[in-house]
Amino acid sequence: MEVRVDLDMCEANGVCVGIAPDIFDLDDDEVLHISSAVVPVDREADVRSAISQCPRAALSEHP
């Protein structure tokens, strides 16, 4: 799976960082970065949880 962020929607709440800090990171300017668009299989469950809990629905999954 791949995960993408819509930076126009993202408010940098950090919910995703709290769930999967090895995948998501906020920089000093509070811009969200994804460490690897292709998510390791063993991290997919946490990334899906982050996607579903994003307050602004800024994250999306792509096959």
Side-chain angles (χ1 to χ4, degrees):
M1 80 176 271
E2 281 187 39
V3 61
R4 296 183 190 158
V5 60
D6 180 340
L7 294 174
D8 292 329
M9 295 289 296
C10 181
E11 290 183 332
N13 291 307
V15 173
C16 56
V17 178
I19 295 170
D22 56 323
I23 305 294
F24 303 101
D25 183 48
L26 289 173
D27 67 17
D28 292 337
D29 295 321
E30 295 191 354
V31 175
L32 182 68
H33 296 275
I34 300 172
S35 64
S36 176
V38 178
V39 177
V41 173
D42 65 329
R43 300 300 291 133
E44 288 183 358
D46 283 338
V47 170
R48 284 189 177 105
S49 179
I51 290 169
S52 70
Q53 294 183 52
C54 179
R56 297 280 298 162
L59 299 172
S60 58
E61 176 183 346
H62 297 270

